[in-house]
Structure formats: C-alpha cells, structure tokens
Amino acid sequence: MKRFSSLLLISLAIGVLLTACGEDPKDNPVLQEAFAVHTEAVNIHNEVMSQIADIDAMKSTMEAEMAALDREDTANSAKIRSIGSVISQSIAIKDEMNNWMANLSEVPGFDDHDHGHGEGEGHDHDHSHDDAAAKLTPEQVLAVQKEQLELIKQMKVRAGSILSSGNALKAE
C-alpha cells in the first residue's frame, strides 16, 4: 500500500510538472480524449434540454388537466396520482439538469469552445471555468468527463421515460 501511495504521488508530481512546464494541453492525447467525451456530453445535454422543453409544455397541460378533475370522484384517483407522479418527475429532471450544468467542468486548455447555441439561444452556462480542473492530472480530468457523460446519458433516458409516461396519460 505504501508503494502504491508513493507511485501515485510520483505520478501526480510528474503530471503537475508537465503541466507547469508549459506543455500545450491540446497536444496531450488523454486530454484530447477527455475533450471528445466532454463534447459528446454537451451534445447529449442539448438533446436533453429539448426533451425538457417538451416536458415543461406537457407539465403545464397536465397541471391544467389535474385541476379540472373532480378529486371527489374515486374513478379519477388513479389518474390524479399518475399525473402527479409525472409532474413530480418533470420537476426533478429539471433540477437534476440544473445541477449537472452547474457541475459541468471544462477540459483544461479546451475551454474556448462553443456549446452549440447560437447567440441568444440555449440557457445560462454556469459551469465551472475555475482552476480546479487544472489541478487534476489528465487521467483524472478524463475520469470526471466520463462521469459527467454517464450522468447526462442517464438523464436522457429518464427524460424520455417521463415523456413516454406523459404521452401515455394523454392517450387515456
């Protein structure tokens, strides 16, 4: 264990020295891979944002429908619960997306890219442009990017499920 710790410290020190010595991050193959993963995550994020816009529209319609249902009629209770569940899920996915965006970190040396929104389009990008990622080794940056990609992929699946549930309720 001691040997592993020593090797880890040496690896971190070498990574810091290489970065500090002015090596262009864009020449680092691990950071290039991290940027490719980041780009994929941002592209999926844009798809999920479109799904969330559809979910928001559906949520408004469902809220109006739920308000119109007679809560005293027991025949409506299952539908009211189902609509309430979809509304809760739609709120949760939006909160999740806001958290994901707030925690999205750039790849050091690649933070001058465009996230695919035209002027005035999209949303506020409040993700991290601080020095925290610059203090990580390229391998750690890649691991962070892969984790962010996995999270956004999971969100895409959940957003699709919410839309499917809402559309199924509309069909009833």
Side-chain angles (χ1 to χ4, degrees), residues 37-110:
V37 172
H38 175 83
T39 301
E40 182 181 356
V42 169
N43 290 338
I44 293 171
H45 153 267
N46 293 339
E47 294 172 26
V48 177
M49 288 303 295
S50 177
Q51 288 176 305
I52 287 175
D54 293 343
I55 289 169
D56 279 344
M58 180 183 68
K59 178 180 163 268
S60 296
T61 302
M62 292 183 123
E63 287 170 335
E65 182 182 349
M66 193 160 86
L69 289 172
D70 180 4
R71 293 180 184 272
E72 300 300 318
D73 185 349
T74 56
N76 291 333
S77 62
K79 186 161 188 166
I80 290 171
R81 277 194 306 277
S82 295
I83 291 172
S85 175
V86 170
I87 290 171
S88 294
Q89 291 173 48
S90 68
I91 293 167
I93 195 81
K94 197 169 184 176
D95 289 344
E96 233 180 291
M97 177 57 79
N98 288 332
N99 288 332
W100 185 87
M101 289 186 307
N103 291 308
L104 179 62
S105 63
E106 298 293 334
V107 176
F110 292 83

